[in-house]
Amino acid sequence: MAAATAGDMVWARVLEDGVFRFDASEAARAAAGPSLSFADPRRREVPRDGADTPAVVPAFEVAAEGAQKVVIKLPPGTSFYGTGEASGPLERTGKRVFTWNTDAWGFGPGTTSLYQSHPWVLAVLPDGKALGVLADTTRRCEIDLRQESTIKFFASSAYPVITFGPFNTPADVMTSLSHAIGTVSMPPKWSLGYHQCRWSYDSSEKVLKVVRTFREKGIPCDVVWMDIDYMNGFRCFTFDSNRFPDPKSMVDDLHSIGCKAIWMLDPGIKKEEGYFAYDSGSKSDVWIQRADGSPFVGEVWPGDCVFPDYTSGKTRAWWASLVKDFISNGVDGIWNDMNEPAVFKTTTKTMPESNIHRGDADIGGVQNHSYYHNVYGMLMARSTYKGMKMGNAAKRPFVLTRAGFIGSQRYAATWTGDNLSNWEHLHMSLPMVLQLGLSGQPLSGPDIGGFAGNATPKLFGRWMGVGTLFPFSRGHTETGSIDHEPWSFGEECEEVCRLALLRRYRLLPHIYTLFYHSHTKGVPVAAPVFFADPQDPELRKVETSFLLGPLLVCASTLPNKGAHECAHKLPKGIWLSFDFADSHPDLPMLYLQGGAILPVGLPIKHVGEASLEDDLTLIIALNENGKAEGVLFEDAGDGYTFTQGDYLLTYYIAELHSSVVIVKVLKSEGSWKRPKRNLKINILLGGGAMISTDGVDGEEIHLTMPSESEASSLVATSKFEHKKRMEMIQPIPDIEEPSGQEGAELSKIPVDLKSGDWFLKIVPWIGGRIISMAHLPSDSQWLHSRIEINGYEEYSGTEYRSAGCTEEYKVIRRYLEQSGEEESICMEGDIGGGLVLQRQISILKENPKIVQIDSSIQARSVGAGSGGFSR
């Protein structure tokens, strides 16, 4: 059917109930290519009669050059979410994003292009109903939400727009979206444990020492990661013969103590004859080509590299065969990094858009790189996933990818990229994980503790407290940083990390069940608080709390306040606080929604310790009608027999009859028999108080509720004991900053310089690097963004990583309106030999259009024995 708007003809087609595809014209529809070609290949359009009328019709503007703009106006008071992997606030009104996968090391809250692209917006309408809008294009696309209640998409060629809804709830929109882009693959249960990583654990001995320390200290952990240095000269599919002489033996040792091993694979293949991956790829003609037909060569970690063209089925099969052979070394999972693709020593930090991909006909055929850039990482992950399944069809592959596109969750988990060790990035990690979940990717998390820079004890412990409750939980840090293992920051921080991780492992039965729901229904695992009441506008910008089903996690991202000291906005209704006798000033608060039953397990140290016969606990919060219900999914934790019915899905119910609560199994699904196990019942009363009893799983369990006065006394006692305990526990002490220098307190936080035409963000502890540079008059982001002004286009700066020494600066002075300067910061970094690097960044008062950077080497104590340095 056709629908008219603003004098233009818009062609609409029903895909399913409430879901419409819109094109500017029949010609534009043909030019756009296959619908949802990079989403779920099972999705097909369903022709329908004209009875269904879309509630929202986009307005199309088509330029002569083929560029297309789409505008959708929604009612005032609409809130925007989604846009995929995006930094900054949870609610996206006022923001603009460019979908162009970018190696965005050290990104900030205003960075407009990160590692993944999701041309998708979730709109929550004033009445709580919700609508989703997908721009079905793989090209660079601008998502402009700067005008209130208005969605704008702009791309360089024609593309369809698909609307989902309006539906009654945001969760309904996510389920509908999953019909188009697919759902997350069911992860192996071990991958939901804690992961320990750094760049790099540089030998088999170091890897085993780290994991054994986890076991000795009683800190849970399931996975250890090998970064790029395990390879022979950064050549993929190889091992350094000195540092990792027998990877299979190392992995066997890890498996013997319940730990898995994940290894990195990048797309860049070293251009070197005699290297088997290069030789076989050249023979099979799998490399991306330059415009002249020769293989494109770009520099990455190994030096000159060629890049597989994953858009071709032939290339994907070649890569999958290499992966299949690779996992025979004991590889449990694979980490795809640098797959935007990142290329060194280029102003764009990637390959030329004129490069040629010889793609399969069903995904677009032969196209230049600008067409396939955003899906390159997803297609690599798809190839890796296939190779792992070929290597062991009885196991679920685990792949982590840095770059991705909407629909990547079918093949890989993701993380939020190279973040910084500071409080701002701790805070940003919450809305970033939630935003990915609202864009179809439920299996994500940040580098806990921050990738770049050095965490402090309080920052690391606080980040671990909330990070262990994210869907994907991994600690990671870069080379040159201090140790970032849980025991690296003193006893107080170590204890907080232990408590936080034991919490996660007790909650694993619930988290695993949430992933089963996500896999089958497409709903997020971690959801914003407004999912509990989409009609409440006060919940729509809450971003330090989130939901894990009916479990509400309330965190603090403030250095001087714990979660128990913060005012948390709770949804309407009954929300009862509880803990595992582990309350701590540096851990989040936990609340259970009235009407919910939460299944929890034992405090194990790794997933392999658990048994189906282990005691199970049900934590129950009755609603105002004295009822509660919950669900638990159990299977082998790996493999695919659950798809044939080999599982147990149990629906528990609790009902208050007079003064007695009866807890029983309402129904169950699956072919598994119920294991013989004890069932512990904890009924929450409020204020952390609870009453308990024991029984047998599958049998009716009766528990008499206390009288109103008895309950009030129990609640009052519990609150008093909790307050006393929190006062007695010493929070994690933070390290003292260096004293005696003006401005030293600024050395461990990003420094803002805002004056004249510029707003800069500087990180003193990483080379005094400017990580964000906003030009205020044009509202443009420099450095980690693309800017386009009057036909002039610029990408990220030319420097990828600094060569030579790694400078850590201390702030020694900060000027405000002195010496003709309106804003200025002066930093020094000790480079040894009595020498310091001094770096001063200024925005000049007399010429506010200028940012001035003065760098110098200065002598402090140079003389005999100064390491050979001279003035």
Side-chain angles (χ1 to χ4, degrees), residues 185-190 332 385 388-389 392-398 512 633 635-642:
S185 294
M186 191 65 188
K189 195 171 185 180
W190 58 260
D332 296 303
Y385 183 90
M388 292 199 71
K389 286 194 76 170
N392 191 338
K395 299 290 185 182
R396 301 172 197 166
F398 181 82
Y512 191 61
F633 175 76
D635 70 348
D638 208 342
Y640 295 94
T641 60
F642 76 97

Side-chain angles (χ1 to χ4, degrees), residues 10 118 123 211 215 359 382 466 539 558 582 609 627 709 787 813 863:
V10 176
H118 298 74
V211 175
R215 297 294 180 253
R382 173 180 169 183
V466 66
L539 296 176
L558 300 174
D582 61 356
E609 277 189 348
K627 295 182 178 181
S709 61
I787 68 164
R813 293 189 299 278

Side-chain angles (χ1 to χ4, degrees), residues 1-2 12-15 17 20 46-54:
M1 65 181 178
R13 189 176 180 91
V14 185
L15 301 185
D17 289 340
F20 294 84
V46 182
R48 300 279 293 276
D49 59 32
D52 294 298
T53 302

Side-chain angles (χ1 to χ4, degrees), residues 516 633-636 641-649 669-673:
Y516 176 72
F633 175 76
E634 298 170 284
D635 70 348
T641 60
F642 76 97
T643 63
Q644 282 88 49
D646 288 344
Y647 64 90
L648 178 62
L649 184 64
E669 300 174 9
S671 63
W672 274 18
K673 293 183 178 179

Side-chain angles (χ1 to χ4, degrees), residues 34-46:
S35 175
L36 295 170
S37 55
F38 289 96
D40 190 343
R42 297 167 297 180
R43 178 61 178 255
R44 294 291 181 266
E45 293 186 1
V46 182

Side-chain angles (χ1 to χ4, degrees), residues 359 423 432 649 653 750 764:
W423 290 92
M432 289 184 77
L649 184 64
I653 189 170

Side-chain angles (χ1 to χ4, degrees), residues 617-748:
T617 298
L618 299 182
I619 301 175
I620 300 173
L622 298 174
N623 62 17
E624 60 275 8
N625 298 317
K627 295 182 178 181
E629 58 185 25
V631 63
L632 173 64
F633 175 76
E634 298 170 284
D635 70 348
D638 208 342
Y640 295 94
T641 60
F642 76 97
T643 63
Q644 282 88 49
D646 288 344
Y647 64 90
L648 178 62
L649 184 64
T650 303
Y651 294 84
Y652 293 99
I653 189 170
E655 291 184 306
L656 177 63
H657 296 275
S658 184
S659 62
V660 176
V661 174
I662 301 174
V663 182
K664 63 182 180 180
V665 172
L666 176 65
K667 64 176 181 177
S668 60
E669 300 174 9
S671 63
W672 274 18
K673 293 183 178 179
R674 186 165 306 281
K676 296 179 180 179
R677 59 189 172 196
N678 296 324
L679 192 63
K680 186 177 183 65
I681 304 297
N682 292 336
I683 298 181
L684 302 180
L685 302 175
M690 65 178 68
I691 58 172
S692 304
T693 191
D694 294 298
V696 176
D697 189 17
E699 298 180 2
E700 273 195 11
I701 300 174
H702 294 223
L703 180 58
T704 301
M705 293 289 286
S707 67
E708 187 173 336
S709 61
E710 290 172 334
S712 296
S713 177
L714 289 171
V715 170
T717 300
S718 176
K719 287 182 176 179
F720 174 77
E721 290 178 349
H722 180 268
K723 184 174 183 292
K724 185 177 179 181
R725 185 165 67 248
M726 295 295 273
E727 290 172 349
M728 291 177 60
I729 297 173
Q730 180 67 35
I732 301 173
D734 224 337
I735 60 172
E736 295 183 2
E737 299 292 349
S739 59
Q741 291 182 328
E742 179 188 354
E745 73 280 357
L746 298 173
S747 295
K748 289 294 181 181

Side-chain angles (χ1 to χ4, degrees), residues 42-276:
R42 297 167 297 180
R43 178 61 178 255
R44 294 291 181 266
E45 293 186 1
V46 182
R48 300 279 293 276
D49 59 32
D52 294 298
T53 302
V56 175
V57 179
F60 285 76
E61 300 175 19
V62 182
E65 300 81 11
Q68 179 177 287
K69 182 178 182 179
V70 176
V71 180
I72 300 175
K73 293 185 178 295
L74 297 170
T78 297
S79 304
F80 292 136
Y81 307 90
T83 71
E85 187 180 51
S87 57
L90 175 66
E91 207 281 314
R92 304 302 293 168
T93 298
K95 298 300 178 182
R96 180 173 57 165
V97 169
F98 293 91
T99 62
W100 187 253
N101 291 1
T102 303
D103 179 4
W105 181 97
F107 58 85
T111 305
T112 55
S113 296
L114 294 181
Y115 307 87
Q116 304 208 4
S117 294
H118 298 74
W120 158 261
V121 176
L122 173 67
V124 180
L125 305 176
D127 61 0
K129 293 183 178 180
L131 170 81
V133 186
L134 174 66
D136 187 17
T137 178
T138 63
R139 296 186 185 274
R140 182 190 284 112
C141 180
E142 177 185 354
I143 308 172
D144 188 349
L145 304 175
R146 291 177 295 175
Q147 184 178 340
E148 184 180 359
S149 303
T150 302
I151 301 171
K152 298 178 183 178
F153 294 104
F154 180 83
S156 60
S157 63
Y159 55 93
V161 168
I162 301 170
T163 62
F164 300 80
F167 295 119
N168 287 332
T169 69
D172 292 336
V173 175
M174 298 309 302
T175 296
S176 182
L177 174 67
S178 75
H179 299 165
I181 67 170
T183 63
V184 65
S185 294
M186 191 65 188
K189 195 171 185 180
W190 58 260
S191 70
L192 302 182
Y194 177 67
H195 301 241
Q196 183 63 46
C197 183
R198 81 163 290 128
W199 177 27
S200 284
Y201 294 127
D202 58 6
S203 68
S204 296
E205 291 78 13
K206 179 64 174 177
V207 170
L208 290 167
K209 180 180 179 183
V210 167
V211 175
R212 286 168 179 154
T213 304
F214 272 97
R215 297 294 180 253
E216 291 164 4
K217 290 182 172 291
I219 302 174
C221 181
D222 260 277
V223 191
V224 67
W225 291 60
M226 268 52 69
D227 208 314
I228 196 169
D229 293 296
Y230 79 83
M231 302 177 189
N232 176 20
F234 306 132
R235 297 170 181 86
C236 287
F237 305 105
T238 69
F239 299 90
D240 185 290
S241 59
N242 294 317
R243 292 180 288 121
F244 291 86
D246 190 348
K248 182 66 168 63
S249 176
M250 184 196 80
V251 172
D252 288 343
D253 288 343
L254 290 173
H255 288 175
S256 71
I257 52 176
C259 189
K260 307 290 186 181
I262 293 179
W263 307 72
M264 176 182 282
L265 288 176
D266 291 347
I269 299 297
K270 186 175 179 62
K271 184 178 181 291
E272 178 184 68
E273 292 186 4
Y275 166 37
F276 68 92

